[in-house]
Amino acid sequence: MSGPLQWARYHWRRLTGRTTSDDEERPYSYLSLLACGGKSSQTPRLAGKHRVVIPHLRPFKEEYEKFSGAYVNNRIRTTKYTLLNFVPRNLFEQFHRAANLYFLFLVVLNWVPLVEAFQKEITMLPLVVVLTIIAIKDGLEDYRKYKIDKQINNLVTKVYSRKEKKYVEQCWKDVTVGDFIRLSCNEVVPADMVLLFSTDPDGICHIETSGLDGESNLKQRQVVRGYTEQDSEVDPEKFSSRIECESPNNDLSRFRGFLEHSNKDRVGLSKENLLLRGCTIRNTEAVVGIVVYAGHETKAMLNNSGPRYKRSKLERRANTDVLWCVLLLVVMCLTGALGHGIWLSIYEHVPFFNIPEPDGHTVSPVLAGFYMFWTMIILLQVLIPISLYVSIEIVKLGQIYFIQSDVDFYNEKTDSTVQCRALNIAEDLGQIQYLFSDKTGTLTENKMVFRRCSVAGFDYCHEENAKRLESYQEAVSEDEDFPDAESGSLSNMAKPRAHSCRPVHNEPLGSKPSRQLAGSAVAVGSGEGASEVPHSRQAAFSSPIETDVVPDTRLLEKFSQITPQLFSLLDETVHHPPLETLYIIDFFIALAICNTVVVSAPNQPRQKSRCSSLSGMPIRSLEEIKNLFQRLSVRRSSSPSLASGKELSSAFASRLPLLSRLKLTSPVGEEESRLSESAQGASSSACCPETQKANSEAGLANGRVEAPSGRALASDLCYEAESPDEAALVYAARAYRCTLQARAPDQVTVDFAALGPLTFQLLHVLPFDSVRKRMSVVVRHPLSNQVVVYTKGADSVIMELLSAASPDEASLEKQQIIIRERTQKHLDNYATRGLRTLCIAKKVMSDTEYAEWLRNHFLAETSIDNREELLLESALRLENKLTLLGATGIEDRLQEGVPESIEALHKAGIKVWMLTGDKQETAINIAYACKLLEPDDKLFILNTQSKDACEMLMSTILKELQKKNQGGPGQASLRVDLLQPPVPQDSEIRAGLIITGKTLEFALQENLQRQFLELTSWCQAVVCCRATPLQKSEVVKLVRSHLRVMTLAIGDGANDVSMIQVADIGIGVSGQEGMQAVMASDFAISQFRHLSKLLLVHGHWCYTRLSNMILYFFYKNVAYVNLLFWYQFFCGFSGTSMTDYWVLIFFNLLFTSAPPVIYGVLEKDVSAETLMQLPELYKSGQKSEAYLPLTFWITLLDAFYQSLACFFVPYFTYQGSDIDIFTFGNPLNTAALFIILLHLVIESKSLTWIHLLVIVGSVLSYFFFALAFGAMCVTCNPPSNPYWIMQEHMLDPVFYLVCILTTCIALLPRFIYRVLQGSLFPSPILRAKHLDRLTPEERTEALKKWRGAGKMDPVTSTSAEQSAGKSGGRPMPGTLADFAMNPASSCAFEQGNISVCETALDQGCCETEA
Amino acid sequence: AAPRLAQRGRGGGRPGAAAMTWSATARGAHQPDNTAFTQQRLPAWQPLLSASIALPLFFCAGLAFIGLGLGLYYSSNGIKELEYDYTGDAGTGNCSLCAAAGQGRAPPPSCSCAWYFSLAELFQGPVYLYYELTNFYQNNRRYGVSRDDRQLSGVRFALFHPANECAPYQRSAGGLPIAPCGAIANSLFNDSFSLWHQRQPGGPYVEVPLDRTGIAWWTDYHVKFRNPPLVNGSLALAFRGTVPPPNWHRPVYELSRDPNNTGFINQDFVVWMRTAALPTFRKLYARIRQGNYSAGLPRGAYRVNITYNYPVRAFGGHKLLIFSSISWMGGKNPFLGIAYLVVGSLCILTGFVMLVVYIRYQDQDDDDDDD
């Protein structure tokens, strides 16, 4: 049953510690937003409650007991039950379900002697069966949890033991707060601990958080300030500080506290110092930390809130109908009670067939009627289908099994298929009305390809690169059938490069770099043959299409002007004409260093390149240099103890470039030269000594062995970036021989071809966040020795931060203005081509300015409370008065099959909204490219700066739309009042709405919501650009709650998490941006195009199947129970059942339970092909056609009729004969069985051998049971004793005649209705089903006709034709550009419209027509 | 893709992650099986209900039903029934005296009356004699459960420890167990009938032999109902220590002089204990199949001597006496035949409607096709 699934889901969550807040209503977490954004808007909570951690060592024993003794240890227990409390607790939990309580109530009722209807034990049977099944399921789940807990608890880690004065192995469960733990590379962190030591000389430690959030890229953590300077490992014996930090909380992105030394010095602690439980140590030999949170108090465990439970719309619907059934039951019981009272009161004397109470007196009719009410409730209890809930669960499991086994969802490249993470909302997939999609990574591949750039006002279009991309596409499409697509495409990649790249590089760039490139090409090309390692080392965002950028020839020419002399010139005469060249240099340096890319060498998994590059150094010189360097260098990146920085800056600055070059980059050069000699022995033995000693890890040993192939190693660096954009830019820079060589927390090394290796002292990194929309690095330029800020960010943000006026240099300012204008033009151009744009800017700071800023920043960093705000302010102080260098355009290509999918979804009546953080032009163009907008759509753009303007514009557009659409001008607002979106008339023109983030903010405000929704309801497509994650979720929430529609949100990144959690169904695309979206989602798919099959086919099926099954269940129960009810009219409403109790119970539990389940799992009303070809069929699910309230009542009516027929045919047949009670009941039962089963056959649209097997099996089991029971039960089961009745009947022709006649009469109306429906008024579904039966040729004919018949539906038909005409495979960049031209060329402003809003609008309302 | 693969490999090592996907059959890769079952492509019969398909079905079913209906109707018509209400309503014969006499007294005094009738022609045999009670709710729940099947099947322990369901007829006022216990047994129908035939007018009445055996179900008589084991060869001793139900005049072992028809296996008793399904019911009293009467009741005058004991007027019931012949389909009941005829005709009618629908809409479909 659902056991393994739910268990696995739970455990997955437990392991990953997904952030799901416990919000009652719609759990979505702001935490995840913070996690992605980095900015915390959270007010400091728990301010008063702090936790004090004292080392768990003897000298502090007393103190330890006082403070930290009470903290929980690291043992975890996620199981709900223990052996002892399993039964009571499980029962307690199960009886939280109302249905179970109801049945318990019935059982108890039956123990009341006055009202008992059955034997006491029999009533318990169904409940006991259901409870047992669920208890077994729960028990198994819990047992598995227990086993995993045990396994985790018994993992071994190294904890410092004072007794033995060394680290000894201990189980995880024995770790306590205050323990010192030493972890080696690739070990998992057992508890949240503060990092005190890392073997890394810079005091950093790399961790991989895939266990937490699924992200496989490395993240850096920092040793606590003050501990890095120590050369030797931290000695727990000497550790006398205490740690004060906040109480355990579930905020993964925050950790606040300080470390207080014995001399009362305090050092701030942040999340950079915290290693979270569940992360894996990578790239770092060993680390030591002190545990601050253990066990259930770790952040990972606190984040673990168990599986989410969503209730599907269909189930909610069914639940209301269950309530109707309850009402019906009450009415029936009241009838019985009343009837019994009346029946009793007509007798003057007590008739002797109404026996008195045991004590002799008789009950008054009123009281008897009252008792009878309860008796009737017991008797007719089956009306409330207890098996319904169990069956629904089983059916859902079956449906999910089939969804997950669909091969169409299988993605060979990632070896992944669809994941159903929520088990109980599969049928909601069939009812989606609104779809909210992210753009990047969802609609697009999120493979960022550097396309063009603009430097210093010159646009470089990189035509060769464009050509390369096209050839790549062809190569890919040819090779799609390759089993290992990756290697196929890799080997193919070598071809285009062979004739396009080499000539380009070789000439202008000299031999050394090209040799490197050739080396890398060889390495890549031969990779598949040589080993698997280079493959698997392809970093997350580095398929060849992204990594290999062909430089622009024009730009390369300008590169040739770069000489080292340039900078010596620069030092003297600052403003020399080759300013452009300087811009170019700065631009590419910024591309290379303004990021958080981690560099690693391919052959050494998770090993930093620094180690490998050091490997070529002679031991002597290495150590010397290292010592020298350590003495001089300013180690800390953040607030490098300002004093020392100042003191040293003069002396140090001149030497630093040299030193760092010596240390870090010369190995590359030296290595090359040495390799050309015979350096093999040297390099293999000279691998950095302490590494060799300390680290026995396989990875490193591996690296040593492969050191001889150092050339490929040095050149073919791997970049691991947090976002693909960053990687794309770094690769672009590399193409221009500006290679990012190594990155340490305090310095970055760039190998600039013409200038040689440059080492930048990294003073500061201000990481990217979604509020600032930019990131900056502060470096000390090695050549100019200035403090330079390089900033990279969204164009809108950067443009505002550019230096408004530099007072001294007028000419420079002029040039800047020109550059700015031209860059802006280029940016607009890029955006219309659907490229993602970024601006690159820089700022030179004087040392004093920097020192000033640094002081303030230091204050911000060390504050415990509202640190985030202070940091933001600090960043704002730094990032201003920037000088624009240029801009980049990165292409994010559409995923395969996206336009087709969107078109199909449109035709299915789903409104698709695109919510993206990208800029307006990019978003519109992607919208056109993916067919979200049609070329002849009317486009309305909402982009205003004030609320009033927004309101005005909206009403203008609304009026306009209502005027144009005569279909229902006045009704629209009415309908919105009724919270029903007006169904756009087919004759109307299509409209699309574009709204920007700022305007969206106004539109989402209370008083404009309604108008906004009304407006959007007129539009086929809505694009929200520049939307923040929070806005995304608010939009979804608004639509969902106000229009009461079924919403689906799909996204791939952390910024979509909130939206995914708010929507009725959240779908995560397991793409490039980690697993956060997938973790939060209900379903995870690997590509957007799978969505169409998921919704159109599986959604439709699941919905139809389940709703039909639920209806059938209601029908079945009502039909059967009514037989008993009708009988009450002939037995004085005395609660007699004419059926043996066992048969009565088993009828529902055994004989008729399997067929509906099979029906619910396997029913196929229309084939998958037809459903995909005719998306219109999906509309039936949207309108809930399979299960309307009316359908329910019709079903009940039919059930009533059938039970009437089933009762009265035998009644009249046996009227006045000598038939006895159970002999009378037997044909009723048998006929009911046939009726109920054949009813299912009539309703089934497809019957496989499984159906047949189950139905025949049901009939046989019924007869077998009846015969066996009748033969063996002589005196058992008193007083209902069916002895030999079935045997008698089997020999009686009348029995057969009665059964046949009853079945026919009962089923005739439904059968006739279905036949007439099939001939006279077939539903679209039925018509589509006809197609399934045709031969392929006829079918295509019929399909054409069907689509042609959509004349009443011109929109879909025209779009269908367009799709036929235009969708020739995936849109190439070229087609994309075609689309892009559309709005631009035909952007016709309607004057009448404009004049209204002009005054209020700054950006104007652009109304586009095609 | 490659690092993702690597990650997946690690993920696979975690027990939770491995079980996360449903496909436990993950053969290293996560590719689902491509079989007709998992891909939901099993060959299926797809019944598409439409007029053209249903048309022959309706005609065939209709004809078959009409045929069956005619057969049933005629065989039901061939069954003769002769019934007489001897409840004793005023002016309906000499049983009214008994009825009046027995009013309000329980147990009523024994009273005899007679029913005279004459047959103009042979009453085709085999003839069954039934009694019918109306408005008698043997199916009242509390009445219907008031019995102890174990006691009736001769279990000695149950004989002396009747089930609680029998209350208040479980034990006598003296605390002795009642055998047979329960309300059903207590209310045993105790009128008796004898049939007399007058061959010639004015001639003597000759008693027609009534076969009082074989009126119960074979299994009831032979398996389900057993007397308790005899004590010293005596049934009376076996029942010692029990008392008969309060309404009974004699103990259960004296129900009949025939040792094979007394005690719990007395056939009248067995028949009575098979509680009727409906408030108006018949029970078989005797079969007439012996001697000259095996072919039926010859013409002539008849008299039924009725021992009138059973009070029914208290609950407004009636007692009837019925002679009925029997066919393969049991007693006389025209309903089944008529129902078959009606349904059959309806089917034919629907068939014609379908024909119309078929002709008209088929044309329309063709028109559509021509578009």
Side-chain angles (χ1 to χ4, degrees), chain B residues 3 11 47 78 83 203 300 353 358:
Chain B
E83 63 174 43
V353 173
Y358 174 70

Side-chain angles (χ1 to χ4, degrees), chain B residues 26-348:
Chain B
R27 306 150 300 184
H30 294 94
Q31 182 161 22
D33 288 335
N34 192 355
T35 62
F37 175 69
T38 56
Q39 300 311 309
Q40 310 193 51
R41 287 194 309 260
L42 283 178
W45 178 55
Q46 305 196 327
L48 245 186
L49 298 177
S50 65
S52 50
I53 295 170
L55 200 91
L57 210 68
F58 274 113
F59 280 118
C60 291
L63 288 176
F65 277 21
I66 287 176
L68 267 174
L70 285 176
L72 279 167
Y73 187 71
Y74 281 112
S75 44
S76 174
N77 265 3
I79 294 170
K80 272 190 183 162
E81 258 187 23
L82 187 68
E83 63 174 43
Y84 172 66
D85 184 342
Y86 73 97
T87 321
D89 292 336
T92 53
N94 56 11
C95 283
S96 50
L97 286 175
C98 287
Q103 210 62 36
R105 289 168 58 187
S110 192
C111 173
S112 290
C113 56
W115 167 36
Y116 298 92
F117 66 93
S118 58
L119 294 172
E121 56 183 357
L122 175 74
F123 196 99
Q124 189 66 42
V127 181
Y128 284 61
L129 177 59
Y130 293 91
Y131 59 90
E132 179 174 314
L133 296 174
T134 66
N135 212 6
F136 190 102
Y137 285 83
Q138 256 204 323
N139 56 14
N140 183 14
R141 184 176 57 88
R142 301 193 44 202
Y143 174 87
V145 302
S146 184
R147 61 191 285 165
D148 184 354
D149 278 344
R150 275 162 48 83
Q151 190 188 47
L152 298 177
S153 67
V155 177
R156 252 191 95 75
F157 177 82
L159 181 66
F160 297 105
H161 300 92
N164 290 333
E165 279 87 5
C166 289
Y169 306 107
Q170 186 184 12
R171 287 174 187 278
S172 68
L176 288 175
I178 296 174
C181 75
I184 310 178
N186 184 41
S187 60
L188 177 68
F189 184 76
N190 55 2
D191 287 0
S192 59
F193 315 99
S194 58
L195 178 63
W196 300 81
H197 180 215
Q198 186 183 36
R199 277 165 209 248
Q200 279 92 36
Y205 279 98
V206 182
E207 184 164 12
V208 179
L210 296 180
D211 183 3
R212 304 290 312 283
T213 60
I215 53 174
W217 285 28
W218 189 92
T219 47
D220 281 359
Y221 177 71
H222 286 98
V223 184
K224 197 172 167 186
F225 288 78
R226 308 287 335 131
N227 276 324
L230 302 183
V231 175
N232 296 335
S234 157
L235 189 60
L237 285 178
F239 277 101
R240 204 167 65 177
T242 67
V243 293
N247 282 357
W248 287 23
H249 297 300
R250 32 182 192 190
V252 65
Y253 47 85
E254 284 172 17
L255 280 176
S256 163
R257 253 154 293 169
D258 179 1
N260 288 329
N261 194 22
T262 191
F264 292 150
I265 55 169
N266 175 274
Q267 298 227 357
D268 284 329
F269 177 67
V270 171
V271 166
W272 181 254
M273 291 305 283
R274 192 164 268 280
T275 49
L278 300 168
T280 297
F281 61 89
R282 294 173 183 188
K283 286 198 183 286
L284 188 56
Y285 185 77
R287 296 181 294 171
I288 302 166
R289 50 174 211 159
Q290 281 156 332
N292 301 329
Y293 303 96
S294 56
L297 294 177
R299 63 196 188 90
Y302 288 87
R303 186 188 78 212
V304 183
N305 285 350
I306 300 165
T307 317
Y308 190 109
N309 293 321
Y310 207 69
V312 291
R313 297 178 61 89
F315 52 86
H318 285 264
K319 302 194 281 191
L320 286 85
L321 202 55
I322 295 142
F323 290 98
S324 170
S325 62
I326 207 162
S327 74
W328 59 272
M329 52 168 289
K332 186 182 179 76
N333 190 347
F335 170 78
L336 208 52
I338 293 171
Y340 263 100
L341 284 174
V342 170
V343 173
S345 333
L346 270 178
C347 282
I348 300 279

Side-chain angles (χ1 to χ4, degrees), chain A residues 417-699:
Chain A
T417 182
V418 65
Q419 284 175 32
C420 301
R421 299 170 50 81
L423 298 181
N424 42 10
I425 51 169
E427 65 274 14
D428 271 353
L429 288 174
Q431 298 196 278
I432 296 303
Q433 288 155 298
Y434 276 72
L435 187 146
F436 299 90
S437 173
D438 176 40
K439 181 178 79 66
T440 312
T442 307
L443 298 176
T444 60
E445 277 180 332
N446 204 8
K447 280 199 179 138
M448 299 300 167
V449 182
F450 180 82
R451 279 302 299 273
R452 40 202 315 189
C453 63
S454 154
V455 188
F458 290 100
D459 186 17
Y460 304 99
C461 18
H462 291 72
E463 277 163 16
E464 296 87 348
N465 200 28
K467 275 184 210 151
R468 177 187 71 93
L469 292 173
E470 277 171 40
S471 65
Y472 177 78
Q473 274 166 353
E474 284 159 24
V476 164
S477 55
E478 279 166 21
D479 290 324
E480 257 171 354
D481 297 338
F482 267 67
D484 183 351
E486 200 61 38
S487 74
S489 56
L490 265 175
S491 56
N492 268 297
M493 262 320 294
K495 281 184 233 158
R497 199 172 24 188
H499 48 74
S500 69
C501 324
R502 272 220 192 104
V504 184
H505 299 218
N506 274 346
E507 269 105 287
L509 282 176
S511 59
K512 189 176 122 190
S514 79
R515 204 172 351 132
Q516 279 188 359
L517 189 90
S520 86
V522 168
V524 171
S526 64
E528 46 179 326
S531 69
E532 285 300 304
V533 185
H535 271 211
S536 57
R537 286 311 310 135
Q538 288 288 336
F541 311 122
S542 50
S543 70
I545 189 164
E546 293 168 280
T547 58
D548 300 317
V549 178
V550 182
D552 189 81
T553 18
R554 263 193 320 130
L555 192 52
L556 277 177
E557 274 165 26
K558 290 186 180 163
F559 259 77
S560 61
Q561 296 167 13
I562 302 173
T563 54
Q565 287 77 43
L566 210 65
F567 271 84
S568 51
L569 277 175
L570 176 79
D571 285 339
E572 292 141 24
T573 55
V574 186
H575 300 296
H576 208 253
L579 194 62
E580 193 196 342
T581 319
L582 291 181
Y583 272 145
I584 292 175
I585 295 174
D586 270 332
F587 180 79
F588 281 98
I589 286 176
L591 287 194
I593 66 172
C594 184
N595 50 48
T596 55
V597 170
V598 176
V599 187
S600 60
N603 290 4
Q604 295 174 316
R606 303 295 185 198
Q607 286 295 313
K608 279 190 301 177
S609 64
R610 173 192 300 207
C611 205
S612 65
S613 64
L614 279 171
S615 66
M617 292 288 288
I619 305 168
R620 254 292 152 82
S621 64
L622 170 79
E623 288 204 317
E624 274 168 13
I625 289 165
K626 212 177 160 191
N627 289 341
L628 180 70
F629 192 78
Q630 271 172 358
R631 257 179 274 133
L632 288 172
S633 69
V634 181
R635 303 290 307 215
R636 298 301 103 233
S637 70
S638 61
S639 64
S641 54
L642 195 63
S644 74
K646 257 185 170 175
E647 281 164 24
L648 290 171
S649 60
S650 52
F652 158 84
S654 57
R655 293 158 80 175
L656 180 68
L658 173 80
L659 280 171
S660 52
R661 228 188 293 173
L662 252 178
K663 182 196 172 206
L664 287 166
T665 56
S666 60
V668 181
E670 272 183 47
E671 196 177 37
E672 297 239 325
S673 58
R674 226 167 340 102
L675 272 171
S676 58
E677 299 156 23
S678 72
Q680 289 211 351
S683 68
S684 62
S685 63
C687 183
C688 44
E690 77 263 29
T691 313
Q692 230 172 3
K693 262 181 271 162
N695 199 337
S696 58
E697 283 299 320

Side-chain angles (χ1 to χ4, degrees), chain A residues 5 7-8 12 15 116 148 151 208 210 214 216 282 343 347 351-358 375 397 401-402 404-407 410 413-417 419 421 486 535-536 538-540 1071 1098 1101 1105 1127 1130-1132 1134-1136 1164 1209 1211-1221 1223-1224 1242 1244-1250 1274-1275 1279 1281 1283-1285 1288 1293-1294 1297-1298 1300-1301 1304-1305 1308 1311-1312 1314-1316 1318-1320 1326 1329-1330 1332-1333 1345, chain B residues 1-8 10 14-17 19-23 28-34 37-54 57-58 65 68 72 130 132 135-147 149-150 153 167-169 183 187 217 219-220 223-224 274-284 310-311 314-315 328-330 333 335-336 339-340 343 346-347 350 353-354 357 361 368-369 371:
Chain A
L5 269 171
W7 160 82
W12 178 251
L15 286 165
E116 67 168 306
I148 291 203
Q151 199 183 337
E208 190 192 281
S210 65
S216 57
R282 301 277 185 212
W343 178 76
Y347 298 109
F352 54 78
F353 44 76
N354 188 44
I355 54 174
E357 292 302 303
T375 308
L397 280 183
Y401 167 75
F402 278 120
Q404 295 198 335
S405 348
D406 193 327
V407 279
Y410 182 68
K413 281 180 193 150
T414 56
D415 182 36
S416 63
T417 182
Q419 284 175 32
R421 299 170 50 81
E486 200 61 38
H535 271 211
S536 57
Q538 288 288 336
H1098 288 285
W1101 278 348
R1105 286 166 176 174
Y1127 187 60
F1130 302 95
C1131 69
S1134 61
T1136 309
K1164 216 164 86 172
V1209 170
Y1211 170 77
F1212 284 118
T1213 310
Y1214 292 113
Q1215 192 187 22
S1217 73
D1218 59 346
I1219 192 130
D1220 67 283
I1221 297 181
T1223 318
F1224 177 66
I1242 292 179
S1244 288
K1245 302 290 190 302
S1246 75
L1247 293 164
T1248 64
W1249 59 266
I1250 301 177
V1274 180
T1275 59
N1281 185 328
Y1283 183 64
W1284 216 251
I1285 285 173
E1288 284 281 331
V1294 177
L1297 288 172
V1298 167
I1300 291 171
L1301 185 69
C1304 288
I1305 291 181
L1308 213 53
F1311 185 70
I1312 291 176
R1314 288 287 173 213
V1315 167
L1316 289 181
S1319 302
L1320 296 183
L1326 274 176
K1329 198 171 144 48
H1330 271 281
D1332 288 344
R1333 297 161 65 96
K1345 207 172 292 159
Chain B
R4 213 138 281 284
L5 246 176
Q7 190 212 331
R8 208 163 283 281
R10 283 198 299 280
R14 276 196 303 268
M20 196 169 77
T21 45
W22 170 280
S23 50
H30 294 94
Q31 182 161 22
D33 288 335
N34 192 355
F37 175 69
T38 56
Q39 300 311 309
Q40 310 193 51
R41 287 194 309 260
L42 283 178
W45 178 55
Q46 305 196 327
L48 245 186
L49 298 177
S50 65
S52 50
I53 295 170
L57 210 68
F58 274 113
F65 277 21
L68 267 174
L72 279 167
Y130 293 91
E132 179 174 314
N135 212 6
F136 190 102
Y137 285 83
Q138 256 204 323
N139 56 14
N140 183 14
R141 184 176 57 88
R142 301 193 44 202
Y143 174 87
V145 302
S146 184
R147 61 191 285 165
D149 278 344
R150 275 162 48 83
S153 67
Y169 306 107
S187 60
W217 285 28
T219 47
D220 281 359
V223 184
K224 197 172 167 186
R274 192 164 268 280
T275 49
L278 300 168
T280 297
F281 61 89
R282 294 173 183 188
K283 286 198 183 286
L284 188 56
Y310 207 69
F315 52 86
W328 59 272
M329 52 168 289
N333 190 347
F335 170 78
L336 208 52
Y340 263 100
V343 173
L346 270 178
C347 282
T350 319
V353 173
M354 292 293 160
V357 166
Y361 285 83
D368 283 351
D369 289 351
D371 286 346

Side-chain angles (χ1 to χ4, degrees), chain A residues 390-408:
Chain A
V390 180
S391 305
I392 286 178
E393 299 261 313
I394 297 172
V395 164
K396 282 180 176 175
L397 280 183
Q399 291 180 343
I400 280 179
Y401 167 75
F402 278 120
I403 291 178
Q404 295 198 335
S405 348
D406 193 327
V407 279
D408 289 348

